[in-house]
Amino acid sequence: MIQEISQEGYVLKKYPLKQWIYDNDHTQPYVARRIGLAPDEFKRKLREKEKFSPSQIKSLVYLMGAEEAFKVLYFPSKRKRKKVWWNVFGKYKSKEELNE
């Protein structure tokens, strides 16, 4: 996934990310610090749908794991989402798993 990160970064889906944070007993300030942001800036970026930088996304991928991080990334189109999914995960999954 790291190779596929857009040069501008990605917007994160606020509610799926919050759900992951709470399901994994983390806090927004903890996640903010782990990706190199002040908690207030992290919350603002989520609220205002601003892009997170490639280095912040990379840190998020390491924190969450690639599959979980993929679920909270907003892609501008289904085509882009599928392309990134295939480049990252497609090589490692069987056709049956992809069709689920």
Side-chain angles (χ1 to χ4, degrees):
M1 177 175 308
I2 309 254
Q3 296 171 353
E4 284 293 325
I5 294 175
S6 164
Q7 299 246 343
E8 306 89 39
Y10 285 106
V11 172
L12 299 179
K13 296 178 186 176
K14 180 178 174 179
Y15 295 108
L17 176 60
K18 283 184 169 185
Q19 187 65 51
W20 181 88
I21 289 169
Y22 300 123
D23 286 350
N24 289 277
D25 296 324
H26 296 307
T27 63
Q28 288 185 26
Y30 171 79
V31 173
R33 287 189 300 273
R34 290 289 305 268
I35 67 171
L37 289 172
D40 289 341
E41 185 179 3
F42 177 74
K43 290 177 185 179
R44 181 186 52 76
K45 286 182 132 201
L46 284 177
R47 183 178 58 250
E48 296 179 12
K49 298 179 176 143
E50 289 185 19
K51 289 184 177 180
F52 287 76
S53 74
S55 65
Q56 293 162 345
I57 297 295
K58 183 177 178 180
S59 296
L60 189 71
V61 168
Y62 284 115
L63 175 64
M64 295 179 74
E67 287 195 54
E68 291 300 314
F70 188 84
K71 294 175 186 176
V72 302
L73 292 176
Y74 172 79
F75 291 90
S77 69
K78 285 185 179 182
R79 184 177 192 180
K80 178 70 173 171
R81 182 175 196 80
K82 286 181 180 183
K83 180 182 177 192
V84 172
W85 175 266
W86 180 254
N87 286 336
V88 176
F89 302 110
K91 300 170 192 161
Y92 307 107
K93 296 207 179 251
S94 67
K95 286 184 180 180
E96 293 80 27
E97 290 176 305
L98 290 173
N99 290 328
E100 292 179 353

